[in-house]
């Protein structure tokens, strides 16, 4: 029993180290391969002193501008260098508006005009909205002759822009028609999905069955009329979180939703006048831990294919449990989500004895045409040309039953990525052609501590290429946009805006580092001896380029040249620091002294940045080599990072360089040292424990099983390990003790201090050659 407990303890303690050595990680602990600090030279930052909340962004590639909305200002920045501000326009609130806002009980910090909505119109103008001291307002903006200007067309922004500068909302401009999801009143108690600038303004019902305390996330348009054989209509999809009405729970349970409406919806004739007749919603599921509370949606990005049926919604989720720091990325096929609304069953409320309704699957006959469906060829053949012609029974059905029974399930049945640590906030996705001719989806994921992670999924395995710190302060990423035209990713937060390249191949200085990055943007050019960004025309030209994104195979890399040795002179008794930083978070660093592996007991302290030798002596001199070992897919790749020659002060001669054979032998002994160390520790603990408890008696000494005064037992306080250099493992009694105790020697001869008298008995474990001796 003791042996089993000991083994379990060893596994529990050593498992994290074994996982690091083997390059594997527990589920939910995917580690970025590289961490790029804030001061990296590939990054560009924009911020203005005393200006906060850069919470809206619009890319105008036709003008080469990035429009950035902040507190009481809109900035026009150069898309290729956002630190270059071309122009700006101020939009401030009046003193009376600020006073009125604070008199209503709002914090003075929030009683400014925070720009939250920025959209481009067909005529080149822009539509901009701000919170305007909790009284939302909108206006039109132009960019002419290098100058931004607000037109004198200020209008009410209720239902188009949130009142609260910290409130989540969703907004979309399609064919100069504005779709917005926010609140209609000062208190935020009337959520709405609103369509403006159309011949018919439509909104949702103020009912909990439609929207129940929602937190709006994102909105996307899908051109489902393209290629449709039934004359279908385009759709607008809305993503949000809300309190579920269909679950009996001891408290409010929040779930994630996807809803959709038809672009051609005109509302009802009598029922649902100026209301959506096509509003349907379904639960959005991202199963991470079972059982657990549902993970909640934070952002959605629509990756568009030329065929909308192959387009994919990429969504990021976080745990709603305050004790869990888990985040996940799930992907949903657009056609699968569309099929839920067009073909699956509805939920319906039924009265029960309690005061609450219970929601169950509706199994009755559906009215014709199908409730919530867009007007298609079948409906037109029945004389229904628009939603105004829909029968009341169809409208009454969708008015009381907008919820679908099944939930939208992710591709492959589960998340693409589960990670611990900083929670995810935003996501942007781009497709990249690699050297093998395949297209891979690269995900840029923003976090709540100001980092962006670059990740790719290879055959079900998600690999985080790098994480980049965008801001000096740990602020959440609020907006992510990318431009394939410029090749940059743009992010904003309350602190400022940042710009980073989509590909940073120059960051990898060796062939192994470049290939193991597994970045579909990058390949090692053998001729140029550099990591280069692939051009689209190079995707099928393997020639002098090396890349292995799926297999992480760097065996084709040429042998690197020797690392230049650096001489370090030290004085006796001084501290010596040797610098060596690993190039990958997934690598393990080893130090060798004169081709022999250093361990923790070698007199030096190993840490992330190098090796510290606190008290240098004559034995400190020698050659020190820092090696990085990375083990993707079970293969080991060794990289020499630094070589130092330590010389005592006054010595000028250089030692002979190490032979390659001895260096290779040190590599092979690494694994053996680890295994022998763990097994020796386990055996020693087990033997000492049995001796201490008297579970067996040693040959050559007479002792009883239990008496604590037995001369052949030593208490832990009376034992000490023999000094280094002694043969075997020796347990000696404390010289200061007056009791008679035994020396226990495992093989070899013990070094007994001279203070021991003859009354100390000597117990030696010897091999028994004759079984009769047992």
């Amino acid at each position: 029993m003791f042996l089993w407990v000991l083994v379990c303890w060893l596994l529990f303690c050593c498992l994290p180290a074994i996982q690091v050595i083997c390059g594997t990680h527990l589920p939910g602990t995917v580690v970025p391969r590289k961490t790029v600090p804030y001061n990296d030279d590939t990054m560009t930052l924009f911020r203005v002193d005393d200006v906060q909340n850069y919470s809206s962004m619009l890319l105008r590639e036709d003008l080469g501008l990035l429009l950035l909305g902040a507190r009481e200002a809109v900035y026009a920045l150069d898309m290729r260098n956002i630190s270059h501000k071309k122009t700006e326009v101020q939009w401030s609130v009046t003193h009376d508006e600020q006073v009125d806002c604070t008199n209503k009980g709002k914090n003075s910090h929030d009683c400014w005009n925070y720009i939250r909505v920025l959209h481009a119109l067909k005529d080149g103008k822009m539509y901009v909205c701000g919170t305007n001291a909790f009284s939302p307002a909108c206006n039109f903006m132009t960019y002419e002759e290098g100058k931004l200007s607000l037109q004198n067309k200020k209008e009410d922004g209720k239902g188009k822009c949130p009142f609260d500068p910290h409130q989540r909302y969703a907004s979309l401009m399609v064919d100069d028609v504005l779709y917005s999801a926010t609140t209609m009143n000062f208190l935020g108690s009337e959520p709405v999905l609103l369509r403006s600038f159309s011949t018919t303004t439509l909104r949702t019902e103020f009912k909990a069955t439609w929207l129940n305390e929602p937190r709006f996330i994102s909105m996307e348009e899908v051109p489902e009329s393209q290629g449709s054989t039934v004359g279908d209509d385009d759709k607008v999809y809305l993503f949000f979180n809300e309190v579920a009405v269909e679950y009996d729970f001891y408290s409010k349970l929040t779930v994630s939703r996807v809803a959709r409406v038809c672009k051609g919806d005109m509302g009802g004739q009598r029922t649902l006048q100026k209301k959506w007749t096509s509003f349907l919603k379904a639960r959005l599921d991202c199963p991470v831990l079972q059982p657990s509370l549902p993970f909640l949606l934070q952002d959605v990005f629509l990756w568009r294919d030329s065929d909308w049926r192959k387009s994919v919604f990429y969504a990021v989720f976080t745990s709603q449990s305050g004790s869990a720091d888990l985040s996940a990325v799930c992907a949903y096929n657009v056609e699968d989500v569309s099929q839920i609304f067009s073909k699956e069953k509805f939920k319906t409320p039924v009265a029960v004895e309690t005061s609450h309704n219970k929601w169950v699957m509706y199994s009755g006959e559906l009215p014709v045409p199908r409730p919530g469906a867009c007007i298609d060829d079948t409906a037109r053949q029945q004389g229904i040309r628009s939603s105004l012609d829909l029968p009341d029974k169809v409208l009454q059905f969708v008015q009381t039953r907008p919820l679908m029974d099944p939930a939208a399930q992710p591709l492959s049945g589960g998340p693409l990525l589960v990670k611990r640590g900083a929670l995810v906030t935003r996501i942007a996705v781009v497709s990249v052609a690699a050297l093998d001719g395949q297209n891979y989806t690269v995900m840029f994921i923003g976090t709540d501590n100001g980092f962006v992670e670059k990740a790719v999924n290879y055959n079900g395995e998600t690999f985080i290429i790098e994480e980049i710190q965008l801001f000096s302060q740990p602020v959440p990423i609020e907006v992510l946009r990318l431009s394939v035209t410029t090749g940059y990713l743009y992010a904003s937060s309350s602190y400022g805006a940042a710009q980073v390249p989509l590909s940073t191949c120059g960051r990898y200085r060796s062939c192994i580092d470049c290939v193991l990055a597994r970045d579909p943007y990058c390949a090692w050019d053998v001729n140029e001896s550099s990591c280069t960004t692939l051009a689209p025309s190079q995707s099928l030209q393997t020639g002098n380029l090396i890349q292995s994104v799926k297999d992480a195979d760097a065996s084709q890399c040429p042998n690197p040249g020797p690392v230049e040795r650096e001489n370090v002179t030290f004085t006796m008794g001084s501290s010596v620091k040797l610098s060596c930083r690993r190039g990958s978070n997934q690598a393990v660093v080893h130090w060798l002294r004169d081709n022999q592996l250093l361990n923790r007991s070698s007199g030096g302290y190993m840490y992330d940045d190098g090796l510290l030798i606190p008290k240098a002596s004559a034995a400190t001199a020698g050659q020190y080599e820092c090696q990085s070992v990375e083990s993707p897919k079970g293969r080991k790749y060794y990289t020499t990072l630094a070589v130092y020659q330590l010389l005592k002060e006054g010595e000028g001669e250089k030692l002979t360089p190490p032979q390659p054979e001895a260096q290779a032998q040190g590599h092979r002994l690494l694994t053996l040292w680890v295994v022998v160390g763990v097994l020796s520790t386990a055996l020693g603990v087990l033997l000492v424990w049995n001796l201490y408890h008297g579970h067996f008696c040693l040959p050559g000494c007479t002792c009883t099983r239990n008496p604590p005064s037995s001369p052949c037992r030593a208490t832990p306080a009376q034992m000490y390990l023999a000094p280094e250099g002694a043969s075997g493992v020796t347990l000696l009694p404390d010289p200061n003790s007056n009791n008679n105790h035994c020396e226990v020697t495992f093989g070899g001869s013990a070094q007994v201090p001279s203070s021991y008298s003859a009354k100390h008995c000597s117990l030696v474990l010897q091999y028994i050659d004759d079984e009769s001796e047992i």
Side-chain angles (χ1 to χ4, degrees):
M1 179 64 183
F2 170 76
L3 182 59
W4 172 249
V5 173
L6 178 62
V7 171
C8 292
W9 177 81
L10 286 173
L11 287 175
F12 175 78
C13 293
C14 298
L15 184 58
I18 293 173
Q19 287 171 337
V20 172
I21 293 174
C22 299
T24 60
H25 306 278
L26 292 174
T29 56
V30 181
V31 177
R33 184 176 178 270
K34 279 187 180 288
T35 299
V36 182
Y38 164 71
N39 57 357
D40 184 74
D41 56 5
T42 63
M43 186 186 315
T44 305
L45 180 70
F46 173 83
R47 71 181 308 269
V48 177
D49 292 340
D50 300 327
V51 176
Q52 301 176 355
N53 289 64
Y54 303 84
S55 55
S56 58
M57 186 183 295
L58 173 64
L59 299 184
R60 289 294 304 269
E61 294 182 345
D62 56 328
L63 301 175
L65 295 179
L66 183 145
L67 280 303
L68 188 64
R71 191 183 72 181
E72 305 211 318
V74 178
Y75 301 98
L77 312 178
D78 186 346
M79 285 188 67
R80 298 190 178 276
N81 183 0
I82 65 170
S83 65
H84 178 208
K85 181 184 71 174
K86 292 191 171 183
T87 183
E88 66 179 84
V89 62
Q90 297 290 324
W91 187 3
S92 305
V93 296
T94 64
H95 176 72
D96 292 341
E97 289 173 327
Q98 282 188 321
V99 171
D100 184 56
C101 176
T102 55
N103 289 340
K104 292 178 181 179
K106 296 302 178 181
N107 190 308
S108 60
H109 180 75
D110 296 333
C111 292
W112 301 83
N113 187 25
Y114 293 89
I115 307 302
R116 303 300 305 277
V117 176
L118 278 172
H119 291 300
L121 302 174
K122 288 183 177 180
D123 60 3
K125 296 180 181 178
M126 286 157 280
Y127 192 67
V128 54
C129 301
T131 58
N132 198 48
F134 274 82
S135 180
C138 298
N139 207 335
F140 292 89
M141 184 172 62
T142 60
Y143 178 76
E144 296 176 347
E145 298 180 355
K147 183 179 179 181
L148 280 178
S149 302
L150 287 173
Q151 296 186 348
N152 190 21
K153 295 183 179 180
K154 186 176 178 180
E155 59 185 32
D156 188 3
K158 294 179 181 178
K160 303 174 185 177
C161 177
F163 287 72
D164 191 332
H166 308 293
Q167 188 180 61
R168 288 295 298 267
Y169 74 103
S171 183
L172 180 69
M173 185 74 74
V174 181
D175 297 329
D176 286 353
V177 175
L178 179 66
Y179 296 81
S180 55
T182 183
T183 56
M184 289 286 290
N185 62 343
F186 181 85
L187 298 176
S189 58
E190 294 182 358
V192 64
L193 169 59
L194 180 69
R195 185 179 72 188
S196 309
F197 303 156
S198 177
T199 54
T200 304
T201 299
L202 297 182
R203 64 174 178 85
T204 47
E205 289 262 52
F206 293 133
K207 290 184 177 181
T209 53
W210 284 49
L211 295 170
N212 188 24
E213 301 180 35
R215 182 173 181 262
F216 298 113
I217 300 297
S218 178
M219 200 180 297
E220 298 288 351
E221 180 228 0
V222 177
E224 297 187 23
S225 64
Q226 295 181 6
S228 174
T229 58
V230 296
D232 202 357
D233 192 8
D234 294 340
K235 313 289 195 311
V236 172
Y237 286 84
L238 172 67
F239 297 88
F240 59 102
N241 302 315
E242 70 168 351
V243 176
V245 296
E246 68 269 30
Y247 296 116
D248 292 327
F249 212 60
Y250 69 92
S251 63
K252 293 180 179 180
L253 177 65
T254 305
V255 298
S256 298
R257 303 281 198 206
V258 54
R260 71 107 172 99
V261 293
C262 304
K263 284 175 60 177
D265 198 335
M266 302 296 290
Q269 185 68 36
R270 291 174 294 275
T271 305
L272 294 179
Q273 286 186 0
K274 296 186 178 181
K275 309 288 178 57
W276 294 105
T277 66
S278 56
F279 179 84
L280 298 175
K281 63 181 182 178
R283 187 165 60 88
L284 196 66
D285 192 17
C286 184
V288 179
L289 298 175
Q290 298 294 342
S292 70
L293 294 175
F295 274 45
L296 297 184
L297 189 64
Q298 300 301 323
D299 193 28
V300 176
F301 183 92
L302 174 59
W303 178 79
R304 298 180 182 274
D305 190 90
S306 55
D307 182 358
W308 69 266
R309 296 169 184 82
K310 297 179 182 179
S311 298
V312 179
F313 292 120
Y314 287 87
V316 291
F317 295 80
T318 58
S319 171
Q320 63 177 305
S321 172
S323 60
D325 58 349
L326 283 175
S327 303
V329 178
C330 280
Y332 306 85
N333 178 258
V334 171
E335 186 177 23
D336 292 343
V337 177
S338 178
Q339 292 295 313
I340 292 176
F341 298 113
S342 60
K343 294 185 178 179
E344 296 294 344
K345 293 185 176 294
F346 293 80
K347 278 188 179 295
T348 184
V350 294
V352 292
E353 294 181 359
T354 61
S355 59
H356 299 284
N357 289 334
K358 183 177 180 63
W359 287 75
V360 299
M361 183 180 70
Y362 180 81
S363 56
E365 184 177 354
L366 292 177
V368 178
R370 180 182 170 91
C374 300
I375 305 301
D376 57 13
D377 292 340
T378 303
R380 296 184 186 97
Q381 291 174 2
Q382 298 173 1
I384 301 174
R385 299 293 179 181
S386 73
S387 60
L388 295 171
D389 301 326
L390 290 171
D392 283 344
K393 62 179 180 179
V394 172
L395 300 178
Q396 290 168 358
F397 185 98
V398 76
Q399 184 179 34
T400 56
R401 303 176 183 89
L403 181 61
M404 308 306 298
D405 183 65
Q409 298 296 329
L411 292 169
S412 71
L416 295 177
L417 169 67
V418 179
K419 65 178 292 291
R420 294 186 185 276
L423 299 179
V424 299
T425 58
R426 300 293 186 270
I427 186 171
V429 177
V430 66
S431 181
V432 181
L435 203 61
D436 59 9
Q438 297 187 34
N439 289 324
Y440 296 96
T441 300
V442 179
M443 300 177 288
F444 295 91
I445 304 167
T447 65
D448 65 354
N449 64 344
F451 280 77
V452 163
E453 296 180 346
K454 183 179 182 181
V456 186
N457 188 275
Y458 297 120
N459 298 331
E461 172 207 5
T462 297
F463 180 78
I464 302 181
I465 299 170
E466 62 185 5
E467 60 176 359
I468 309 169
Q469 183 182 356
L470 298 186
F471 304 104
S472 59
Q473 301 179 3
V475 290
I477 303 296
E478 296 185 8
V479 182
L480 270 186
R481 299 284 189 271
L482 60 81
S483 170
V484 177
T485 303
T486 62
Y488 286 105
L489 177 76
Y490 306 93
S492 70
S493 67
S494 60
Y495 179 77
Q499 167 191 355
V500 292
L502 299 179
S503 64
T504 52
C505 305
R507 191 170 288 143
Y508 309 110
R509 300 304 176 89
S510 69
C511 180
I512 290 179
D513 194 24
C514 179
V515 174
L516 296 189
R518 303 176 69 182
D519 190 334
Y521 279 107
C522 304
W524 182 259
D525 190 323
V526 177
N527 293 340
E528 299 294 333
S529 295
S530 65
C531 195
T532 183
T533 301
L534 284 176
S537 59
Q538 292 176 306
S539 59
L540 294 177
Q541 299 176 6
T542 56
N544 297 315
L545 300 177
I546 302 175
Q547 185 188 67
S548 179
V549 292
K550 289 190 294 186
D551 300 327
D553 184 3
S555 60
Q556 297 182 10
C557 283
N559 292 328
V563 177
E564 183 178 356
R565 185 171 59 186
E566 179 181 348
N567 291 335
V568 177
T569 303
F570 66 91
T571 57
M572 301 291 288
S574 64
S575 297
V576 180
K577 179 181 178 182
L578 303 179
S579 300
C580 179
R581 180 180 272 291
R582 60 180 179 172
S584 166
N585 296 329
Q586 298 176 358
V588 178
V589 170
H590 302 299
W591 283 90
L592 290 85
R593 182 176 64 187
D594 296 334
N595 301 322
Q596 297 298 319
L597 182 67
L598 288 177
N599 51 40
R600 297 290 178 183
S601 61
S602 300
Y605 298 99
M606 303 177 193
Y607 58 102
D608 287 342
D609 290 335
L611 175 68
L612 177 65
I613 304 173
K615 293 182 179 179
S617 63
T620 303
Q623 179 170 286
Y624 289 76
E625 181 178 344
C626 177
Q627 287 188 344
S628 170
V629 184
E630 198 162 358
S631 308
K633 301 287 187 177
R635 307 181 187 93
K636 289 185 180 295
Y637 297 98
Y638 294 85
T639 303
T640 300
L641 302 178
V643 178
Y644 297 95
Q645 184 70 51
L646 265 64
L647 304 171
K648 288 191 302 182
E649 191 174 19
E651 289 187 352
E653 65 273 15
K654 298 183 179 178
L655 300 181
T656 305
Q659 297 299 319
E661 293 80 3
Q663 183 175 348
Q665 183 180 3
H667 297 164
R668 291 192 294 269
L669 288 176
L670 171 61
T671 304
L672 181 60
W673 273 104
V674 175
V675 174
V676 171
V678 173
L679 292 178
S680 299
T681 303
L683 181 59
V685 172
L686 176 61
L687 185 56
V688 171
W689 187 89
N690 280 279
L691 287 173
Y692 177 71
H693 289 277
H695 287 172
F696 58 81
C697 189
L698 299 178
C701 181
T702 302
C703 58
T704 57
R705 175 73 63 180
N706 295 319
S709 61
S710 171
C712 291
R713 289 185 65 197
T715 64
Q718 295 163 335
M719 297 187 203
Y720 71 95
L721 288 176
E724 273 190 50
S727 174
V729 178
T730 305
L731 298 179
L732 298 176
D734 187 347
N736 298 322
S737 172
N738 293 323
N739 298 327
N740 292 333
H741 299 291
C742 290
E743 170 199 342
V744 183
T745 304
F746 300 87
S749 59
Q751 297 178 356
V752 183
S754 60
S755 60
Y756 284 94
S757 64
K759 65 181 179 179
H760 295 87
C761 61
S762 177
L763 307 181
V764 180
L765 289 182
Q766 299 176 343
Y767 293 101
I768 300 175
D769 297 327
D770 189 350
E771 292 184 0
S772 63
E773 297 182 26
I774 299 178

